[in-house]
mmCIF file of all heavy atoms in Angstrom:
data_model
loop_
_atom_site.group_PDB
_atom_site.id
_atom_site.type_symbol
_atom_site.label_atom_id
_atom_site.label_comp_id
_atom_site.label_asym_id
_atom_site.label_seq_id
_atom_site.Cartn_x
_atom_site.Cartn_y
_atom_site.Cartn_z
ATOM 1 N N VAL A 28 12.306 -135.016 -0.356
ATOM 2 C CA VAL A 28 13.428 -135.622 -1.011
ATOM 3 C C VAL A 28 13.785 -134.839 -2.263
ATOM 4 O O VAL A 28 14.969 -134.482 -2.501
ATOM 5 C CB VAL A 28 13.098 -137.087 -1.389
ATOM 6 C CG1 VAL A 28 14.187 -137.668 -2.300
ATOM 7 C CG2 VAL A 28 12.881 -137.994 -0.098
ATOM 8 N N GLU A 30 13.177 -131.660 -3.122
ATOM 9 C CA GLU A 30 13.780 -130.428 -2.887
ATOM 10 C C GLU A 30 15.241 -130.504 -2.443
ATOM 11 O O GLU A 30 16.090 -129.743 -2.869
ATOM 12 C CB GLU A 30 12.928 -129.608 -1.827
ATOM 13 C CG GLU A 30 11.620 -129.067 -2.441
ATOM 14 C CD GLU A 30 10.786 -128.298 -1.425
ATOM 15 O OE1 GLU A 30 11.038 -128.370 -0.220
ATOM 16 O OE2 GLU A 30 9.796 -127.711 -1.918
ATOM 17 N N GLU A 33 17.515 -131.023 -5.528
ATOM 18 C CA GLU A 33 17.691 -129.940 -6.544
ATOM 19 C C GLU A 33 19.131 -129.715 -7.033
ATOM 20 O O GLU A 33 19.374 -129.690 -8.230
ATOM 21 C CB GLU A 33 17.068 -128.649 -5.924
ATOM 22 C CG GLU A 33 17.273 -127.436 -6.708
ATOM 23 C CD GLU A 33 16.241 -127.239 -7.767
ATOM 24 O OE1 GLU A 33 14.992 -127.216 -7.457
ATOM 25 O OE2 GLU A 33 16.507 -127.085 -8.994
ATOM 26 N N VAL A 79 4.030 -152.272 -1.826
ATOM 27 C CA VAL A 79 4.521 -151.339 -2.826
ATOM 28 C C VAL A 79 5.952 -151.678 -3.082
ATOM 29 O O VAL A 79 6.796 -151.555 -2.193
ATOM 30 C CB VAL A 79 4.342 -149.899 -2.400
ATOM 31 C CG1 VAL A 79 5.057 -148.964 -3.406
ATOM 32 C CG2 VAL A 79 2.960 -149.516 -2.240
ATOM 33 N N GLN A 110 12.295 -145.598 1.858
ATOM 34 C CA GLN A 110 13.117 -146.795 1.973
ATOM 35 C C GLN A 110 14.209 -146.877 0.897
ATOM 36 O O GLN A 110 15.249 -147.423 1.132
ATOM 37 C CB GLN A 110 12.225 -147.995 1.980
ATOM 38 C CG GLN A 110 12.755 -149.235 2.584
ATOM 39 C CD GLN A 110 12.671 -149.303 4.127
ATOM 40 O OE1 GLN A 110 11.585 -148.987 4.678
ATOM 41 N NE2 GLN A 110 13.702 -149.674 4.778
ATOM 42 N N LYS A 113 17.033 -144.718 2.137
ATOM 43 C CA LYS A 113 17.586 -145.309 3.458
ATOM 44 C C LYS A 113 18.453 -146.573 3.126
ATOM 45 O O LYS A 113 19.527 -146.669 3.623
ATOM 46 C CB LYS A 113 16.424 -145.642 4.307
ATOM 47 C CG LYS A 113 16.776 -146.172 5.699
ATOM 48 C CD LYS A 113 15.588 -146.799 6.441
ATOM 49 C CE LYS A 113 14.447 -145.773 6.509
ATOM 50 N NZ LYS A 113 13.426 -146.150 7.501
ATOM 51 N N ALA A 146 -3.772 -165.324 6.422
ATOM 52 C CA ALA A 146 -4.608 -164.807 5.348
ATOM 53 C C ALA A 146 -3.827 -163.772 4.527
ATOM 54 O O ALA A 146 -3.858 -163.747 3.304
ATOM 55 C CB ALA A 146 -5.874 -164.235 5.871
ATOM 56 N N GLY A 157 13.353 -164.452 -1.693
ATOM 57 C CA GLY A 157 14.654 -164.057 -1.222
ATOM 58 C C GLY A 157 15.387 -163.197 -2.218
ATOM 59 O O GLY A 157 16.226 -162.374 -1.813
ATOM 60 N N LYS A 184 5.065 -172.571 0.359
ATOM 61 C CA LYS A 184 6.084 -172.637 -0.692
ATOM 62 C C LYS A 184 7.039 -173.889 -0.565
ATOM 63 O O LYS A 184 7.771 -174.158 -1.467
ATOM 64 C CB LYS A 184 6.985 -171.380 -0.655
ATOM 65 C CG LYS A 184 6.273 -170.163 -1.109
ATOM 66 C CD LYS A 184 6.173 -170.018 -2.626
ATOM 67 C CE LYS A 184 7.450 -169.581 -3.189
ATOM 68 N NZ LYS A 184 7.377 -169.242 -4.634
ATOM 69 N N GLY A 193 13.905 -160.225 10.483
ATOM 70 C CA GLY A 193 13.265 -160.027 11.826
ATOM 71 C C GLY A 193 12.834 -161.394 12.356
ATOM 72 O O GLY A 193 11.954 -161.485 13.245
ATOM 73 N N LYS A 194 13.333 -162.513 11.743
ATOM 74 C CA LYS A 194 12.942 -163.794 12.170
ATOM 75 C C LYS A 194 13.453 -164.178 13.525
ATOM 76 O O LYS A 194 14.446 -163.547 14.099
ATOM 77 C CB LYS A 194 13.481 -164.831 11.104
ATOM 78 C CG LYS A 194 12.933 -164.638 9.723
ATOM 79 C CD LYS A 194 13.337 -165.802 8.746
ATOM 80 C CE LYS A 194 14.805 -165.812 8.402
ATOM 81 N NZ LYS A 194 15.401 -164.624 7.703
ATOM 82 N N ALA A 325 7.835 -142.983 17.440
ATOM 83 C CA ALA A 325 6.441 -143.535 17.386
ATOM 84 C C ALA A 325 5.913 -143.615 15.985
ATOM 85 O O ALA A 325 5.837 -144.732 15.415
ATOM 86 C CB ALA A 325 5.450 -142.690 18.333
ATOM 87 N N GLY A 349 14.004 -141.924 15.169
ATOM 88 C CA GLY A 349 13.873 -143.328 15.148
ATOM 89 C C GLY A 349 12.701 -143.729 14.283
ATOM 90 O O GLY A 349 12.719 -144.778 13.664
ATOM 91 N N ILE A 359 10.704 -129.369 10.905
ATOM 92 C CA ILE A 359 12.081 -129.551 10.474
ATOM 93 C C ILE A 359 12.674 -128.151 10.237
ATOM 94 O O ILE A 359 13.837 -127.824 10.588
ATOM 95 C CB ILE A 359 12.175 -130.333 9.098
ATOM 96 C CG1 ILE A 359 11.628 -131.763 9.388
ATOM 97 C CG2 ILE A 359 13.578 -130.345 8.591
ATOM 98 C CD1 ILE A 359 11.479 -132.666 8.093
ATOM 99 N N LEU A 368 21.155 -130.059 15.814
ATOM 100 C CA LEU A 368 21.648 -131.284 15.085
ATOM 101 C C LEU A 368 20.376 -132.033 14.728
ATOM 102 O O LEU A 368 19.721 -132.580 15.662
ATOM 103 C CB LEU A 368 22.535 -132.065 15.973
ATOM 104 C CG LEU A 368 23.869 -131.434 16.339
ATOM 105 C CD1 LEU A 368 24.498 -132.144 17.560
ATOM 106 C CD2 LEU A 368 24.828 -131.461 15.178
ATOM 107 N N SER A 388 22.474 -161.622 4.701
ATOM 108 C CA SER A 388 23.882 -162.121 4.419
ATOM 109 C C SER A 388 24.079 -163.450 5.171
ATOM 110 O O SER A 388 24.580 -164.438 4.667
ATOM 111 C CB SER A 388 24.909 -161.200 4.882
ATOM 112 O OG SER A 388 24.699 -159.936 4.225
ATOM 113 N N LEU A 392 24.834 -167.152 3.711
ATOM 114 C CA LEU A 392 26.088 -167.853 4.061
ATOM 115 C C LEU A 392 25.777 -169.107 4.934
ATOM 116 O O LEU A 392 26.748 -169.895 5.137
ATOM 117 C CB LEU A 392 26.980 -166.946 4.976
ATOM 118 C CG LEU A 392 27.575 -165.750 4.259
ATOM 119 C CD1 LEU A 392 28.198 -164.736 5.347
ATOM 120 C CD2 LEU A 392 28.753 -166.169 3.353
ATOM 121 N N ALA A 442 20.530 -143.617 -8.582
ATOM 122 C CA ALA A 442 20.342 -142.952 -9.854
ATOM 123 C C ALA A 442 21.358 -143.537 -10.881
ATOM 124 O O ALA A 442 21.019 -143.786 -12.046
ATOM 125 C CB ALA A 442 20.563 -141.482 -9.689
ATOM 126 N N ALA A 447 22.497 -146.936 -15.649
ATOM 127 C CA ALA A 447 23.179 -148.090 -16.293
ATOM 128 C C ALA A 447 22.272 -148.992 -16.955
ATOM 129 O O ALA A 447 22.645 -149.634 -17.961
ATOM 130 C CB ALA A 447 23.998 -148.784 -15.175
#
Side-chain angles (χ1 to χ4, degrees):
V28 172
E30 285 179 349
E33 172 85 56
V79 174
Q110 200 83 43
K113 180 190 308 193
K184 289 283 283 190
K194 299 187 290 298
I359 296 171
L368 292 163
S388 305
L392 291 166

